[in-house]
Amino acid sequence: MKKFLCIIAALALVAGSCSKGDDEQPTPETPTTPVIEPGSDSRPGWQAPDYHSYEQTMTVLLYLQDELVPYAGSQDLICATVGNEVRGVAAVEKEGEQPWIALTIGGHGEGESISLSYYCDLLHRIFTLPDWSSFDSSVIPSGTTELYTPRFVK
């Protein structure tokens, strides 16, 4: 009788595991990083300026926003401009999980409006923030505000 009950329990377990839901395909997970469409931009020829030509400099340690991290590479560039004048250029450093950029920007005085552009080689795209920040030689080099992690993709 004990064997009979064990067989019935085993059959019930097998029958319960063979439900209609097993034939259904699993739902794929939604990616957490949005897909960013590639472009057709060529790698720009941005050249670092002669910092001795400027009265002051400011240096900031930037991090790529999470949405751009999967696309980051060693051929990527960041460029700071005031008007149409290049004031700073730096390559993206990719050591570890979080790519970073040490960017020095030349300036003639406080308050100049700085635009920031990011060239992503993998996507062949240039992302630009027209009014990223104002020149401030007293700004601390690193921090956690949007100044240090510019939002190129919104």
Side-chain angles (χ1 to χ4, degrees), residues 20-103:
K20 180 178 158 187
D22 286 346
D23 295 336
E24 297 174 12
Q25 295 294 333
T27 305
E29 289 185 33
T30 304
T32 56
T33 304
V35 174
I36 301 173
E37 294 297 320
S40 59
D41 295 325
S42 301
R43 189 170 198 266
W46 299 323
Q47 295 294 316
D50 177 6
Y51 293 105
H52 293 88
S53 301
Y54 299 98
E55 298 168 19
Q56 302 169 326
T57 59
M58 69 182 266
T59 300
V60 289
L61 181 62
L62 304 174
Y63 293 98
L64 285 181
Q65 71 184 92
D66 292 341
E67 292 85 351
L68 290 170
V69 168
Y71 305 101
S74 61
Q75 294 299 307
D76 296 1
L77 292 173
I78 292 278
C79 178
T81 57
V82 173
N84 291 324
E85 183 182 354
V86 173
R87 298 286 185 93
V89 175
V92 173
E93 301 292 331
K94 192 167 183 195
E95 295 176 21
E97 295 294 316
Q98 181 64 41
W100 55 275
I101 306 102
L103 179 64

Side-chain angles (χ1 to χ4, degrees), residues 96-115:
E97 295 294 316
Q98 181 64 41
W100 55 275
I101 306 102
L103 179 64
T104 299
I105 304 164
H108 291 299
E110 306 298 320
E112 294 176 304
S113 181
I114 302 170
S115 296

